[in-house]
Amino acid sequence: MTNISVTTPIGATLNAKPHYSHIALARGISIVLVAFGHSALADMHVAAEALGVVRMPFFFLLAGLFFAPPSNLMHYCRKKSIVLLSPYFFVLTAIGIKQWLAGGDLLSYLSGMLYGNGQTIAWTPLWFLPHLFLLYSLAALTLGHAAFRRLQHWQQYLITVVWLIVAGAVLNIMQIHVFATAAGLLHTGLPWGADFAPVSLGYFALGYLLRQQFVQAEFSLIKLIGFTALFCALVYLLNAAVDFNLRLYTPALLLPVIILPGCFMLLQFALLLSQVPLLSKAFTLCGRYSLYILIFHVFLQQVLSRHLGNAALWQQATVLVGSVVLSVAAGWCIRRVVLLRYCFEPLNAGVGVTR
C-alpha cells in the first residue's frame, strides 16, 4: 500500500516521497544490522558471519531503489555533498580540535580526515558518508546517462551483473597487488573508498533495476525459508566474506549470486515484521534516524560495555539495543536544536520537526 510520508534515511532530505512501509522498515533493518555487526554479539554467533556478507550490499541496494536520474548533475552533487559531508566534517572536526588541544598531530589528523577511509579517521563508521556521496555521484553519471537509460531492461541487468563481477575481481587484484604492498595512506585503499565504489555502485544499480520487485513484494513463508536456506548454504559452502572497510570481498566472481538471495531474504523478513505493529514501528523509526545510529552506535556500545560488561548474552543484547535506542534519542534531540540541526542536517534545518 502506498501513501505519502516524510522519512530521512541517510542521504535523504525532508521531501515528501512515495512511501512503502516495508521498504522503510527494511531500511531500519539494514542500519540495525550495521550496529549488530559492530557489537560483541557479532563476534560470538555464526549467523553474524552470514549477515555480514549481505548487510552492506543490502544497504546500497536499498539506497538505489528510489534513485531518480537528475536533470542537473552539478546541483544534485552539491545537494548530496551538503547532506552527507556536513555531518562527516562536523563530527571529525570537533574530534580533531579536541585531539589538537590535547597535543595531537593536527596535520596528520587532517590528512586522514580528508582521505576518508575507516582506517584513517578517528571515528571509523563515518567512512560511509563520503563513500555514499561518491556512490550517488557515480550513479548520477552512469545510471543517469542517456545511453544506459536507452537500453532494454534485460540489457541493463546483464551489464550490471557483469559490472559487479568485473569490479569485484579488480578489487581483489588491487587488494593483493597494490594495497597490501603500499605504504602510508594508500595502504588503507583509495580515498573515500573509491577502490570499491564500482562494487557498491553495482548493488546500487541492482536496487534501481529491482524497484518494482521490491515495492510490490508480498510476504511468503516459502520464499522466506527458501531464500534463507539458499543464502546460508551458499555463504558457508563458498566461504563468502564481505567487509568493505577492510577491502574483504570473496569469492569475488560468485558474490553477486550469493548476495542477491540474501537481499530477498531480508526483504521477506521486513515484510514479515511489517505485520507486527510494534516491531514495524521500531524498525521504521531506526530507518528515519539511520544517520545518527551510524554516527553514534560504536561509541555508545563502548560506553555501555564499560558500564554493563559484555560477557553474558543478555549483556551483549542490552548493549546493542541500548546503543540503537540512545542513538535515536540523540538524533531526536539534535533535530530539535536548530544549531545542531544545521551541523548534522543543514538542508533540513529550516523544516519544522514533528517526528
Side-chain angles (χ1 to χ4, degrees), residues 66-314:
F66 298 108
F67 170 75
S71 57
N72 187 323
L73 178 62
M74 293 304 296
H75 175 73
Y76 177 83
C77 291
R78 176 182 172 275
K79 189 174 181 180
K80 288 298 180 185
S81 70
I82 294 172
V83 170
L84 294 165
L85 299 183
S86 294
Y88 175 81
F89 283 113
F90 172 72
V91 173
L92 289 179
T93 299
I95 296 173
I97 292 172
K98 178 179 178 294
Q99 292 189 1
W100 175 64
L101 292 174
D105 184 348
L106 183 60
L107 182 59
S108 176
Y109 182 89
L110 291 176
S111 298
M113 181 176 70
L114 293 175
Y115 204 83
N117 279 348
Q119 299 173 64
T120 70
I121 57 178
W123 203 275
T124 302
L126 290 185
W127 70 262
F128 188 68
L129 295 178
H131 180 74
L132 198 55
F133 165 70
L134 182 62
L135 173 59
Y136 276 113
S137 301
L138 289 173
L141 284 169
T142 55
L143 305 182
H145 197 281
F148 183 82
R149 294 163 68 182
R150 281 197 299 264
L151 295 173
Q152 296 183 36
H153 214 52
W154 71 268
Q155 293 174 316
Q156 293 176 333
Y157 274 116
L158 179 61
I159 289 174
T160 300
V161 172
V162 172
W163 174 277
L164 265 174
I165 293 172
V166 173
V170 171
L171 177 62
N172 275 3
I173 293 171
M174 293 178 69
Q175 178 65 23
I176 296 171
H177 298 290
V178 179
F179 304 133
T181 58
L185 292 176
L186 186 60
H187 182 69
T188 68
L190 295 180
W192 295 15
D195 47 311
F196 64 86
V199 176
S200 54
L201 176 62
Y203 292 108
F204 186 98
L206 278 180
Y208 176 66
L209 297 174
L210 290 170
R211 178 185 305 174
Q212 292 304 313
Q213 289 86 338
F214 265 65
V215 300
Q216 296 176 2
E218 296 181 355
F219 175 71
S220 165
L221 182 59
I222 294 176
K223 288 182 180 180
L224 175 61
I225 295 173
F227 283 129
T228 302
L230 177 60
F231 171 67
C232 292
L234 290 173
V235 167
Y236 292 113
L237 287 174
L238 299 174
N239 294 316
V242 175
D243 189 325
F244 287 126
N245 184 39
L246 300 178
R247 280 32 178 201
L248 177 62
Y249 188 81
T250 183
L253 299 181
L254 297 175
L255 269 174
V257 177
I258 299 171
I259 288 171
L260 201 54
C263 291
F264 279 102
M265 172 193 72
L266 292 176
L267 172 64
Q268 285 296 317
F269 189 60
L271 287 163
L272 174 61
L273 291 184
S274 68
Q275 300 176 22
V276 184
L278 181 61
L279 292 176
S280 177
K281 290 178 181 178
F283 279 102
T284 300
L285 186 66
C286 290
R288 291 177 180 173
Y289 286 88
S290 55
L291 172 65
Y292 301 99
I293 295 175
L294 174 74
I295 292 173
F296 296 119
H297 75 273
V298 170
F299 168 73
L300 289 170
Q301 285 179 12
Q302 293 170 351
V303 172
L304 291 172
S305 293
R306 286 198 298 268
H307 288 83
L308 299 176
N310 59 7
L313 180 62
W314 73 266

